[in-house]
Amino acid sequence: MKVAIIGASGFIGHEILNEALSRGHEVTAIVRNPGKITLKSDQLTVKQADVTDANAVAAAVAGNDAVISAYKAVDSDTYVQATKATIEGLKKAGIKRFILVSGAASLEVAPGQLLLDSPHFPAEWKPIAAATRAGLLVLKQENDLDWTALSPAAMIEPGPRTGKFRLGGTTLLTDEAGNSKISVADYAIALLDELETPKHLKQQFTVAY
């Protein structure tokens, strides 16, 4: 496939980039700073774009079969603007398939209670968590795109690429000890699996050990 990855130089984005290239996809990496992409491949094109501008998004993603956004959330206003611009840009470019790298905070820990709203959620993480949730709410209102949002476990960290994990819906997955973890490499596997064989169209889902 021809796949555009927004935020391909980031913590999660670069692993998605590596996984996509390893599977033989033709990738367009869309970043703010092209110098951060040091990987060389005949299957890789690097483009600079402002993803808060729908026209810039449309020009950058044109000709691709699908778009993955691993755009890093910093504050809600910017992230919502980027999400809306990306959706509009895809429509302008005639691309239907979109996968969003979302956050764990929008997953439920009990019926009707999000992880973000739980009393033990770290205060220092709340601004970014609230931003990713706000972007997801925008996406959930979208009917014209074949979108999917993949939320990681509560802790997503560097680690081995095992290929062994569980998939879930909108509830946070934990192990028998109550831990909720996934490596970035395994998260990337789950995301590319969904890209290649869609099973969660117009849905949010999650991955954890």
Side-chain angles (χ1 to χ4, degrees):
M1 295 174 69
K2 292 184 177 180
V3 185
I5 303 174
I6 295 170
S9 63
F11 173 61
I12 296 177
H14 85 278
E15 286 288 355
I16 296 171
L17 172 61
N18 290 339
E19 183 69 24
L21 289 173
S22 75
R23 297 186 184 208
H25 297 296
E26 190 174 324
V27 179
T28 299
I30 301 170
V31 291
R32 279 176 288 199
N33 182 0
K36 288 188 175 181
I37 302 287
T38 57
L39 189 63
K40 303 297 181 184
S41 169
D42 293 338
Q43 296 292 104
L44 175 62
T45 301
V46 181
K47 292 184 179 180
Q48 185 177 26
D50 176 5
V51 297
T52 62
D53 182 307
N55 290 326
V57 172
V61 303
N64 283 279
D65 302 311
V67 175
I68 297 165
S69 177
Y71 179 79
K72 183 180 179 181
V74 178
D75 63 82
S76 292
D77 288 346
T78 306
Y79 190 72
V80 166
Q81 183 181 352
T83 304
K84 289 180 176 178
T86 299
I87 290 169
E88 186 180 345
L90 263 69
K91 291 179 180 179
K92 286 176 179 284
I95 299 170
K96 297 279 286 185
R97 186 67 172 125
F98 177 54
I99 301 182
L100 177 69
V101 173
S102 194
S106 58
L107 297 169
E108 289 188 332
V109 291
Q113 183 184 19
L114 301 182
L115 177 61
L116 174 63
D117 300 324
S118 63
H120 304 298
F121 193 83
E124 64 270 22
W125 293 359
K126 282 201 171 184
I128 292 176
T132 57
R133 178 171 179 257
L136 177 62
L137 290 175
V138 169
L139 186 59
K140 283 184 173 181
Q141 297 170 14
E142 179 54 48
N143 293 317
D144 295 331
L145 297 181
D146 293 329
W147 64 266
T148 299
L150 176 54
S151 291
M155 296 298 296
I156 179 166
E157 302 170 320
R161 182 186 185 280
T162 69
K164 297 178 181 178
F165 45 75
R166 294 177 295 151
L167 300 181
T170 57
T171 300
L172 186 75
L173 292 177
T174 58
D175 62 17
E176 292 176 353
N179 299 311
S180 179
K181 295 181 179 180
I182 193 70
S183 73
V184 191
D186 280 339
Y187 176 92
I189 292 176
L191 191 144
L192 265 294
D193 286 351
E194 174 65 25
L195 175 71
E196 294 172 354
T197 309
K199 295 180 179 178
H200 300 89
L201 292 178
K202 293 184 172 63
Q203 296 176 49
Q204 175 192 16
F205 76 112
T206 189
V207 56
Y209 294 127

